[in-house]
Amino acid sequence: MAAPILEVRAADVFYGASQILFGIDLAVERGQTMALLGRNGAGKSTTFKAIAGIAPPRRGQIALSGTTVSGKPPYLVARAGIGYVPEDRQVFPEHTVEDNLIVGAKPGPRGDRHWTTARIYEVFPILAGMRHRIAGRLSGGEQQMLTIARTLMGNPDILLLDEPSEGLAPIIVRAIGDLIRTLREMGVTILLAEQNMHFCMGIATHATVIDKGQVVYSDTIAALRGNEAVMQRYLAV
Ligand SMILES: Nc1ncnc2c1ncn2[C@@H]1O[C@H](COP(=O)(O)OP(=O)(O)O)[C@@H](O)[C@H]1O
Ligand SMILES: [Mg+2]
């Protein structure tokens, strides 16, 4: 079997002297949408920062398609195929939507340029109508979409989305959910951090639950849905 697109093995992560993650194991196969679920403070964002090279693990390993990336600086991890969308959706506020997309453009790890602005506008029609607008004037939901689109312009092998629905109105949350489902159906491999498991239903294919910096459950999303005990114990439902 081919190596998973992303594999985290026994990762211990510290901020200074305090250990936040304890032996995290996580594997995402090509085409999966994996939900990384857990309460506020469980360690979801820290897991993403570890993968992205911002909070490198002190022990353990992170590999992309079988090649170790842990120990590399964030820009090399990005070049190796990780597309990381952090919690605080960062656009270049003084530039247009289109310029934000162009800034994100780079070939993928094997030189592929699958994503172009034209393709982005097909998948994100809302951005097509706003291409000349100044990004700083977009709504929070529109900026979230723009950040996801800009990250795709880097042709990543896997897209990491850290709580993309957080702080957005319900109608926008639904639009973001529809967008992620579209990307999944196109075959994009996604790791999605969420507190809200309802948001992940119908979007994710698999789920890994973390609590206090440890993996406590990993299976298909359907299996998790049927596991009342895990949901009650580890998720705010
Ligand atoms: N920069 C930091 N320095 C020290 N502790 C941090 C830092 N960032 C997060 N933490 C702590 O790490 C734990 C996990 O946080 P985080 O990964 O942000 O959780 P989640 O994303 O699941 O809400 C929390 O206890 C949080 O207080
Ligand atoms: Mg977080």
Side-chain angles (χ1 to χ4, degrees):
M1 213 175 76
I5 292 278
L6 172 68
E7 192 171 19
V8 178
R9 277 192 303 267
D12 286 345
V13 175
F14 292 70
Y15 288 127
S18 53
Q19 186 167 1
I20 306 295
L21 301 183
F22 300 83
I24 293 281
D25 288 312
L26 187 69
V28 187
E29 308 281 345
R30 181 178 300 279
Q32 287 183 349
T33 293
M34 169 76 74
L36 182 64
L37 289 158
R39 290 199 187 93
N40 191 22
K44 302 179 297 295
S45 295
T46 303
T47 302
F48 276 22
K49 288 175 191 162
I51 296 166
I54 295 161
R58 192 173 292 182
R59 287 181 289 269
Q61 239 188 2
I62 296 164
L64 263 183
S65 302
T67 303
T68 300
V69 292
S70 39
K72 290 190 176 174
Y75 80 97
L76 286 181
V77 176
R79 210 178 278 171
I82 298 266
Y84 169 47
V85 179
E87 264 172 313
D88 53 342
R89 42 196 87 110
Q90 296 156 343
V91 297
F92 294 101
E94 285 159 18
H95 294 272
T96 63
V97 165
E98 184 142 304
D99 284 348
N100 268 269
L101 293 175
I102 290 166
V103 162
K106 67 170 175 60
R110 286 161 306 281
D112 46 307
R113 288 190 181 268
H114 180 72
W115 288 97
T116 58
T117 51
R119 196 167 168 87
I120 289 288
Y121 293 143
E122 279 170 29
V123 179
F124 300 72
I126 189 171
L127 295 181
M130 298 180 172
R131 65 180 81 183
H132 302 305
R133 300 245 322 254
I134 298 297
R137 303 223 184 96
L138 304 185
S139 72
E142 290 159 357
Q143 291 191 12
Q144 179 65 261
M145 290 193 191
L146 177 56
T147 312
I148 295 170
R150 190 186 60 210
T151 305
L152 286 169
M153 287 290 289
N155 294 288
D157 281 346
I158 181 168
L159 189 60
L160 270 51
L161 302 176
D162 195 353
E163 302 216 35
S165 73
E166 202 195 359
L168 299 177
I171 186 166
I172 310 298
V173 170
R174 220 166 306 134
I176 300 272
D178 289 345
L179 170 65
I180 298 171
R181 197 175 306 112
T182 300
L183 294 174
R184 183 196 78 202
E185 285 163 1
M186 292 174 68
V188 179
T189 307
I190 299 168
L191 179 60
L192 168 68
E194 266 300 329
Q195 292 184 49
N196 176 356
M197 87 160 284
H198 297 292
F199 178 76
C200 299
M201 290 299 169
I203 295 179
T205 56
H206 293 74
T208 294
V209 181
I210 61 172
D211 188 58
K212 301 190 182 85
Q214 289 184 289
V215 172
V216 292
Y217 184 85
S218 194
D219 207 329
T220 62
I221 194 95
L224 174 61
R225 194 208 292 260
N227 194 323
E228 201 63 35
V230 166
M231 288 194 293
Q232 290 293 339
R233 184 153 175 208
Y234 299 113
L235 303 172
V237 284

